[in-house]
Amino acid sequence: MYEIPFTTVVEGATSNTWDLSFPSHPSVTSKFKRCLDILGGIIGLFILAIVFIPIAIAIKLDSPGPIFFVQERYGLQGQPFYIRKFRSMVPEAEQLKYLVKNEANGLIFKNKNDFRVTKVGRFLRSTSLDELPQFWNVLIGEMSLVGTRPPTADEVAHYNQRHWQRLNVKPGLTGEWQTSGRSHVKDFEQIVDLDLQYQKKWHPLYDLLLIAKTFYILMGRVGAF
């Protein structure tokens, strides 16, 4: 059993300490999974090195602003870390968020026709090329190739004890959510169900199955926006 003082996970939160009585998931200590992550991280960063310059040029020509979008996320047992993505929105996206209708239910934000997404950004999202920099997080062990979607601070601030269970594994580049409808799954509780389902089903070979399914979905550019 471990306890996480919620105030140390999300700065400024006022909730009481959560008693998270969940045993460590076997995927966290799996040597096979870690070796797979290292291999995948190296391959992913090699691909990133090849496509970095053309993607960076396309982003800069499409709209002013930085090449990368940097954001704090929360991983295994609520530990904070930073991810980098290729920027797919206009630089002032966070300030304009209030103008966009949330088409999802619960603690996630989705809008299929979000006007803040740039032309290049829409392509990067549909192909998941915007996610390539996160292979660095995989290589250093903050993320895994397969796991749960890493939540943001505003999501975690409203978690209940059931929601915390999804962070009993490392966050992943892909997982049950990405291979079961991706952005078409717009209900947060359904995403939590999928994450907990992954934990129950997990086996080293199951990660390979989800990776194969992810490649199939990416080739068809299904479900991302």
Side-chain angles (χ1 to χ4, degrees), residues 69-71 73 81-85 134 137 143 150:
F69 170 71
V70 182
Q71 189 177 47
R73 296 291 183 96
F81 68 101
Y82 285 91
I83 64 166
R84 285 174 175 79
K85 294 184 177 184
Q134 293 175 58
N137 299 101
M143 293 180 63

Side-chain angles (χ1 to χ4, degrees), residues 46-111:
F46 178 74
I47 297 172
L48 173 62
I50 295 174
V51 303
F52 176 81
I53 292 179
I55 290 179
I57 292 173
I59 291 172
K60 295 298 266 184
L61 290 177
D62 189 36
S63 70
I67 295 171
F68 293 115
F69 170 71
V70 182
Q71 189 177 47
E72 187 178 52
R73 296 291 183 96
Y74 293 84
L76 179 65
Q77 299 181 6
Q79 295 302 310
F81 68 101
Y82 285 91
I83 64 166
R84 285 174 175 79
K85 294 184 177 184
F86 282 118
R87 181 173 60 84
S88 61
M89 288 187 171
V90 296
E92 63 276 18
E94 287 301 312
Q95 290 75 25
L96 297 173
K97 187 175 181 179
Y98 75 98
L99 295 173
V100 183
K101 180 182 178 181
N102 187 10
E103 298 176 344
N105 298 317
L107 305 181
I108 55 171
F109 189 92
K110 293 288 180 183
N111 184 292

Side-chain angles (χ1 to χ4, degrees), residues 133-202:
Q134 293 175 58
F135 277 104
W136 173 251
N137 299 101
V138 173
L139 185 63
I140 65 176
E142 293 175 334
M143 293 180 63
S144 177
L145 293 177
V146 183
T148 184
R149 185 185 66 86
T152 59
D154 56 341
E155 294 175 41
V156 177
H158 297 92
Y159 269 14
N160 60 36
Q161 204 154 349
R162 174 177 178 267
H163 299 154
W164 274 108
Q165 294 181 60
R166 67 193 300 267
L167 299 184
N168 203 34
V169 298
K170 286 185 180 181
L173 285 176
T174 189
E176 289 284 358
W177 170 69
Q178 291 89 338
T179 57
S180 301
R182 219 172 173 187
S183 292
H184 292 303
V185 180
K186 298 180 180 180
D187 187 277
F188 177 69
E189 295 302 329
Q190 186 177 352
I191 293 175
V192 174
D193 289 340
L194 289 170
D195 288 335
L196 300 184
Q197 175 181 294
Y198 168 72
Q199 294 184 27
K200 291 179 181 179
K201 288 184 175 180
W202 182 81

